[in-house]
Amino acid sequence: QVQLVESGGGLVQPGGSLRLSCAASGSIFSILNMGWYRQAPGKERELVATITMGTGSANYADSVKGRFTLSRGDAKGVVHLQMNSLEPEDTAVYFCNGYIRPYGSEYKYYWGQGTQVTVSS
């Protein structure tokens, strides 16, 4: 019954900012990593950023380095993706991902349902 819920998507002008949040919930024993992927219409889903939950160390796709920041939230199992200097090319559905071990099971990857980000003037 592990689930990931995204929030914070919307419409923003080029150069603007948006913050996405993802919250993991359910019968969770441990979370090793969480991250964000995105998928634009007609394109393959691509990795945006990942973070190691124990250390807070984040990695980013080259296309978003210097513009996006992935961080852990104050609450357990929560991450935030701060997106600055947004470009039309950032328009996509953004999906939260987590490598999570539920109670009574093994680690596996879980996905949120996605949140739409549209960058347009």
Side-chain angles (χ1 to χ4, degrees):
Q1 293 185 322
V2 172
Q3 59 182 348
L4 302 176
V5 179
E6 306 104 327
S7 62
L11 175 64
V12 65
Q13 295 186 170
S17 298
L18 210 59
R19 190 179 81 155
L20 305 183
S21 299
C22 178
S25 63
S27 299
I28 297 172
F29 177 77
S30 183
I31 303 174
L32 290 185
N33 301 284
M34 294 181 69
W36 288 91
Y37 289 70
R38 67 186 183 187
Q39 188 167 24
K43 295 185 178 180
E44 187 176 350
R45 186 173 298 187
E46 64 176 353
L47 187 146
V48 177
T50 60
I51 189 166
T52 300
M53 298 301 284
T55 64
S57 179
N59 294 306
Y60 303 90
D62 289 340
S63 60
V64 306
K65 284 181 179 176
R67 300 188 299 121
F68 291 11
T69 302
L70 181 60
S71 61
R72 298 172 296 180
D74 293 333
K76 191 175 182 179
V78 174
V79 295
H80 305 292
L81 182 67
Q82 179 66 45
M83 304 185 295
N84 299 326
S85 301
L86 284 163
E87 306 167 352
E89 292 74 21
D90 296 315
T91 296
V93 177
Y94 284 69
F95 296 91
C96 184
N97 174 264
Y99 192 51
I100 299 169
R101 182 183 180 183
Y103 282 107
S105 188
E106 304 297 329
Y107 280 101
K108 65 179 69 175
Y109 285 98
Y110 292 86
W111 292 91
Q113 293 183 336
T115 185
Q116 177 71 47
V117 172
T118 302
V119 184
S120 177
S121 59

